Amino acid sequence: RVQLVESGGDSVQAGGSLRLSCALSGDTWSVCSMGWFRQGPGKEREEVATITMDTATSTYADSVKGRFTISQEDDKKTLILRMNSLKPDDTAMYYCGARTCGAVRYDYWGQGTQVTISS
């Protein structure tokens, strides 16, 4: 099994920056990719950014390209999301997800960390 714990959510003004962290533990060897997802008020959960464990290949939602950066630290045990030029539309609960090798979908999730952007 895999455990994920997010941190770093906060309330900031538009134009500000935040750094989210997700600590990965447990059967880390079984994880092939990790990602950040978010769910805003009244919205469905959407993919924000993903990264593969082997080659660190990343993907981004169009809405965050050029503003957000996904990366790994601590021997890939910590997933980072650096968020710049934040907008009110970025307000959401942000979740860290892990997809184990062989899984079709992300199969492990953290509890989420709240990001609130005021105009």
Side-chain angles (χ1 to χ4, degrees), residues 40-112:
K43 299 179 181 179
E44 294 186 355
R45 185 179 295 189
E46 63 173 343
E47 180 180 296
V48 175
T50 66
I51 190 166
T52 60
M53 301 297 275
D54 54 355
T55 61
T57 300
S58 58
T59 66
Y60 295 92
D62 287 342
S63 59
V64 307
K65 281 181 181 176
R67 300 189 298 124
F68 291 11
T69 303
I70 190 170
S71 62
Q72 296 167 305
E73 296 179 356
D74 302 325
D75 195 24
K76 300 182 181 180
K77 297 291 180 62
T78 302
L79 184 69
I80 302 295
L81 185 68
R82 291 181 174 83
M83 306 187 294
N84 297 320
S85 303
L86 284 162
K87 306 174 182 179
D89 280 350
D90 295 320
T91 294
M93 183 70 79
Y94 283 70
Y95 297 91
C96 173
R99 182 181 64 80
T100 53
C101 304
V104 176
R105 298 180 180 85
Y106 279 71
D107 45 352
Y108 288 95
W109 298 93
Q111 82 288 352

Side-chain angles (χ1 to χ4, degrees), residues 2 24 27-34 53 97-101 108:
V2 171
L24 171 68
D27 295 331
T28 60
W29 54 268
S30 68
V31 175
C32 272
S33 63
M34 296 186 71
M53 301 297 275
R99 182 181 64 80
T100 53
C101 304
Y108 288 95

